[in-house]
Structure formats: C-alpha cells, structure tokens
C-alpha cells in the first residue's frame, strides 16, 4: 500500500514540475522588468532635472572677469572716470570681456551704468548683444561701493545675477580704509559728488568698436594673467555671497524674461563637460510594441527596418546596333598645276660701241717772219 502511494506521489511531482518551473521563470521576468522600469524612470528624471538646471543660465561667470574689474576699480591704475573703466573692459588686451549671450560667435560690448540707492553706489555692467545693437542690454554683473563716514572705511563688493552660471562662487568683497585710495584716481572720482554715469549710445556701438570673435578659455586666461602682471593690480579676495544680494535693475520678471530669451541648454559638440554628460544619459527605453531587429547572417533580400521601399529593377536597354561600315572618302582633288611661264625672247646683241670721233687738227697761224721775208 505504501509503495503504491509513493509511486503516485512521484507521478504527481513529475507532472507538476514543469508547471512550477514556468511559474518561477515568469515571476523572475516580471521582477526584472519592474526594476528596469524604475531605473529608467529615475535616470530620465535626473536627466530632466539637469537639463532644467543648465537651461536657466545665459553665460558662465568666467566669460566676464569680475575679479579683475574690481582689482582695476580699487587700484585705479590709469582710470579717472567711468568711461575709462569701460574702455579697459572692452580692450582686447585685457581679456576681461569674452561675453556672448546671443551665441552668434562674437563678443558682445559691455557698458557700465551707475546708480545710487540708499547711500550705496552701484555699477551695473550690461552686455549688448552683437547680433542686434538695438536689443535690450542685459545685466551680467554689478559692483557696490559703500563708505562708512564714522569708521572712515569703504566696502567694495561685486557679484553676478542668478542667471549666470557660477554666480554662487564668483562673489568678491573687501573693506578698505579711506586712505587706501589716496592714489586710486577712479575711487577718488567715485567717492566725490559727480553726475551719475550712463551710456549714451543705445542702438549703436561706440565709435571705433568692432565685434571680434569669441576666444578659447585658455587664450583668455593667458591674456588676463599677462594684463594683471603688467598693470600690477591687487586682486580682491573671494567671499561668501549674501543670500539677499541682487542688482538694482534685475527684478524677478526681468530675470525670467532674460532666461526665456537667451538661456539655452548646451548644444551637441559645444565642448561643454555638462553637455557631453547630458548627451550620454539622454537615452530612451526600447519600445516593445515595435519589431526587434534580427541579428545573425545577412540576407540581401530581407527588408531593412525603417528603410525606404526598394526601387523596381531597371528594364534592360536593347543592345546597340552594330556600327555601319564607314565609307572610304575619296581623296581630295589634286590642285591644278601652275602653267610654266612662256620662254623669254632672246636678247638682241647690243651694237658695238661707235669709235671715238677724231678732232680736226688746229691750223697754226702764219708766223710773222715769213711774211716779212716775202715782202723782201
């Protein structure tokens, strides 16, 4: 009896084994698909977040050397007003300006605009797109100058708006005694009462300015280092950016308008490290509803996925007719012979020369003696 039961159990187990194997395999496949779906969703979400973060910037802080600009302001080398500072910013030898917000491959002109709010003087640096000189200028950096009459100290600080990549680290500030600017002509002019400076050439570039091509970062850095060594200016130390720092002209609506017009994600092949990383992660999960391309041996008659329909075979053209036997052309007629000239008549012998004529002898006159003898 027990032997019969064991045989029945073995038979049932042998029958159920394939079904159990199929059930376990189905559960394993469904689990892998769910894990893959979660991984793809996470990667896509991270990629979209990176794209959104990159696309809100219109330029990088390295495109405008604010640190060198503030060093020129505090040192005041060769500058006595705002127009002189503006000329140094756009001087190709300084390498300060490498801004291109409209992405046309040319450096945009950067102007300076001065304002006063609550006893604090502010210099805003505005980029004029080279593609259109009459376009609205965009603030790319600002410098604040405030003096404390009680302590006789001057604070100089500067930074970038939030739509500039690297704004959180490119912030510089320092406190100077008023006596520090005894030889700095620019700060001497800045701290004295004077009319506020504003550019007067909206709609056109200053006379003599021609937009030049954007330079490589290595070339720009070399120019800046040489210029700082030549001018012997002292750099302004880097500081922590205050959370409430902002430029007077940059409001939230202004920032949104600038970002929507000029902020674009990095293009393919632009050389950006972030752009290359984004392009590598920008992939999609294969659509299982579409047929999968088959590998293996190649068949020339198999249709290619996504390829255009094959063109009908060309009808063979009839064989060319045999060439006809060329006719032998008759030789050209010989030119007519030129008749020989008639023989010349024989020459008549010339007559012999006539003999010379003999002259008659001259008769001598009779002598006088003969006549005398006859008379005798």
């Amino acid at each position: 009896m027990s032997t019969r039961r064991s045989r029945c159990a073995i038979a049932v187990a042998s029958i159920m084994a394939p079904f159990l194997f199929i059930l376990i395999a189905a559960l394993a496949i469904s689990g892998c698909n769910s894990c893959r779906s979660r991984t793809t969703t996470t990667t896509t979400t991270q990629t979209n977040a990176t794209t959104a973060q990159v696309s809100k910037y219109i330029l990088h802080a390295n495109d405008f050397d604010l640190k060198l600009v503030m060093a020129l302001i505090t040192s005041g080398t060769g500058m006595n007003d705002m127009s002189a500072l503006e000329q140094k910013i756009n001087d190709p030898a300084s390498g300060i300006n490498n801004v291109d917000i409209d992405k046309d491959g040319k450096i945009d002109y950067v102007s300076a605009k001065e304002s006063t709010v609550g006893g604090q003087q502010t210099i805003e640096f505005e980029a004029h797109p080279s593609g259109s000189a009459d376009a609205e200028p965009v603030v790319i950096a600002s410098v604040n100058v405030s003096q404390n009459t009680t302590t006789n100290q001057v604070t100089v600080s500067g930074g970038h708006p939030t739509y500039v990549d690297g704004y959180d680290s490119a912030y510089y500030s320092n406190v100077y005694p008023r006596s520090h600017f005894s030889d700095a002509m620019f700060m001497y002019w800045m701290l004295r009462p004077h009319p506020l400076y504003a550019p007067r050439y909206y709609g056109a570039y200053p006379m003599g300015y021609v937009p030049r091509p954007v330079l490589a970062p290595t070339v720009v850095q070399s120019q800046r280092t040489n210029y700082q060594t030549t001018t012997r200016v002292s750099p302004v130390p880097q500081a922590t950016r205050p959370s409430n720092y902002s430029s007077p002209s940059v409001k939230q609506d202004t920032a949104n308008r600038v970002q929507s017009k000029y902020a674009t994600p990095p293009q393919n092949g632009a050389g950006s490290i972030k752009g290359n990383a984004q392009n590598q992660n920008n992939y999609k999960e294969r659509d299982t509803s579409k047929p999968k391309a088959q590998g293996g041996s190649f068949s020339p008659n198999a249709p290619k996925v996504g390829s255009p329909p094959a063109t009908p075979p060309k009808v063979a053209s009839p064989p060319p007719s045999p060439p006809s036997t060329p006719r032998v052309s008759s030789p050209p007629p010989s030119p007519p012979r030129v008749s020989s000239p008639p023989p010349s008549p024989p020459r008549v012998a010339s007559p012999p020369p006539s003999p010379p004529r003999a002259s008659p002898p001259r008769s001598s006159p009779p002598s006088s003696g003969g006549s005398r003898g006859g008379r005798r």
Side-chain angles (χ1 to χ4, degrees), residues 1-16:
M1 188 70 180
S2 60
T3 305
R4 185 179 298 176
R5 289 181 180 178
S6 61
R7 289 178 181 178
C8 293
I10 294 172
V12 172
S14 61
I15 295 174
M16 295 298 295

Side-chain angles (χ1 to χ4, degrees), residues 317-343:
S317 57
S321 57
S324 58
T325 305
R327 296 181 179 179
V328 180
S329 58
S330 58
S334 58
R337 296 181 179 180
V338 180
S339 58
S340 59

Side-chain angles (χ1 to χ4, degrees), residues 20-36 38:
L20 292 176
F21 178 77
I22 294 174
L23 180 61
I24 294 172
L27 292 175
I29 293 173
S30 62
C32 292
N33 290 335
S34 61
C35 293
R36 184 181 301 174
R38 287 195 297 269

Side-chain angles (χ1 to χ4, degrees), residues 263-288:
T264 55
Q267 303 296 328
N268 295 336
S272 173
I273 299 177
K274 294 182 179 180
N276 293 337
Q278 178 187 355
N279 295 335
Q280 293 175 1
N281 294 330
N282 189 12
Y283 62 88
K284 296 181 180 180
E285 181 71 13
R286 186 181 67 84
D287 191 355
T288 56

Side-chain angles (χ1 to χ4, degrees), residues 198-223:
R200 302 176 179 85
Y201 38 80
Y202 283 117
Y205 292 118
M207 184 178 298
Y209 177 78
V210 178
R212 58 189 187 276
V214 177
L215 301 178
T218 54
V219 177
V220 174
Q221 186 59 40
S222 177
Q223 291 180 346

Side-chain angles (χ1 to χ4, degrees), residues 207-293:
M207 184 178 298
Y209 177 78
V210 178
R212 58 189 187 276
V214 177
L215 301 178
T218 54
V219 177
V220 174
Q221 186 59 40
S222 177
Q223 291 180 346
R224 293 171 180 175
T225 303
N226 295 336
Y227 188 77
Q228 185 172 353
T229 304
T230 304
T231 55
R232 299 180 180 179
V233 294
S234 301
V236 179
Q238 189 174 0
T240 303
R241 187 179 189 271
S243 58
N244 59 348
Y245 179 83
S246 63
S247 299
S249 300
V250 180
K251 307 299 181 183
Q252 187 60 39
D253 57 342
T254 305
N256 295 337
R257 184 172 65 254
V258 169
Q259 290 174 349
S260 62
K261 185 174 183 180
Y262 296 109
T264 55
Q267 303 296 328
N268 295 336
S272 173
I273 299 177
K274 294 182 179 180
N276 293 337
Q278 178 187 355
N279 295 335
Q280 293 175 1
N281 294 330
N282 189 12
Y283 62 88
K284 296 181 180 180
E285 181 71 13
R286 186 181 67 84
D287 191 355
T288 56
S289 62
K290 295 182 180 180
K292 183 178 179 180

Side-chain angles (χ1 to χ4, degrees), residues 25-375:
L27 292 175
I29 293 173
S30 62
C32 292
N33 290 335
S34 61
C35 293
R36 184 181 301 174
S37 177
R38 287 195 297 269
T39 304
T40 304
T41 304
T42 304
T43 305
T44 305
T45 304
Q46 293 176 354
T47 303
N48 294 337
T50 304
T51 304
Q53 182 179 4
V54 173
S55 63
K56 72 177 184 179
Y57 299 127
I58 67 172
L59 77 158
H60 198 276
N62 292 335
D63 297 336
F64 185 77
D65 195 349
L66 180 61
K67 185 176 182 179
L68 183 54
V69 172
M70 296 181 64
L72 292 174
I73 291 175
T74 55
S75 301
T77 304
M79 301 185 306
N80 54 4
D81 58 7
M82 196 72 68
S83 61
L85 174 63
E86 195 173 293
Q87 291 177 3
K88 288 186 178 295
I89 290 174
N90 295 280
D91 185 6
S94 66
I96 295 174
N97 180 16
N98 200 37
V99 177
D100 182 20
I101 62 174
D102 55 354
K103 309 298 185 297
D104 63 344
K106 297 181 180 179
I107 298 177
D108 303 331
Y109 186 85
V110 175
S111 63
K113 183 177 69 174
E114 186 183 5
S115 62
T116 302
V117 178
Q120 176 178 274
Q121 297 171 269
T122 302
I123 306 172
E124 291 181 324
F125 300 100
E126 299 177 330
H128 299 254
S130 58
S132 177
D134 57 352
E136 180 185 6
V138 179
V139 177
I140 59 174
S142 60
V143 174
N144 298 327
V145 178
S146 59
Q147 55 179 334
N148 190 332
T149 56
T150 304
T151 59
N152 207 19
Q153 292 180 336
V154 180
T155 303
V156 182
S157 59
H160 299 272
T162 55
Y163 47 74
V164 176
D165 191 7
Y167 73 93
D168 50 350
S169 59
Y171 180 82
Y172 312 95
S173 178
N174 199 13
V175 180
Y176 302 90
R178 181 65 182 267
S179 59
H180 177 79
F181 305 115
S182 57
D183 296 333
M185 297 299 298
F186 181 83
M187 289 299 299
Y188 179 78
W189 170 83
M190 189 80 177
L191 297 176
R192 292 182 58 190
H194 62 275
L196 297 179
Y197 178 84
R200 302 176 179 85
Y201 38 80
Y202 283 117
Y205 292 118
M207 184 178 298
Y209 177 78
V210 178
R212 58 189 187 276
V214 177
L215 301 178
T218 54
V219 177
V220 174
Q221 186 59 40
S222 177
Q223 291 180 346
R224 293 171 180 175
T225 303
N226 295 336
Y227 188 77
Q228 185 172 353
T229 304
T230 304
T231 55
R232 299 180 180 179
V233 294
S234 301
V236 179
Q238 189 174 0
T240 303
R241 187 179 189 271
S243 58
N244 59 348
Y245 179 83
S246 63
S247 299
S249 300
V250 180
K251 307 299 181 183
Q252 187 60 39
D253 57 342
T254 305
N256 295 337
R257 184 172 65 254
V258 169
Q259 290 174 349
S260 62
K261 185 174 183 180
Y262 296 109
T264 55
Q267 303 296 328
N268 295 336
S272 173
I273 299 177
K274 294 182 179 180
N276 293 337
Q278 178 187 355
N279 295 335
Q280 293 175 1
N281 294 330
N282 189 12
Y283 62 88
K284 296 181 180 180
E285 181 71 13
R286 186 181 67 84
D287 191 355
T288 56
S289 62
K290 295 182 180 180
K292 183 178 179 180
Q294 300 294 334
S297 60
F298 172 74
S299 176
N301 298 327
K304 296 182 180 179
V305 179
S307 60
T311 57
K314 297 182 179 180
V315 180
S317 57
S321 57
S324 58
T325 305
R327 296 181 179 179
V328 180
S329 58
S330 58
S334 58
R337 296 181 179 180
V338 180
S339 58
S340 59
S344 57
R347 294 182 180 181
V348 179
S350 58
S354 56
R357 296 180 180 179
S359 58
R362 292 181 180 180
S363 58
S364 58
S367 62
S368 56
S371 61
R372 285 180 181 176
R375 286 179 180 179

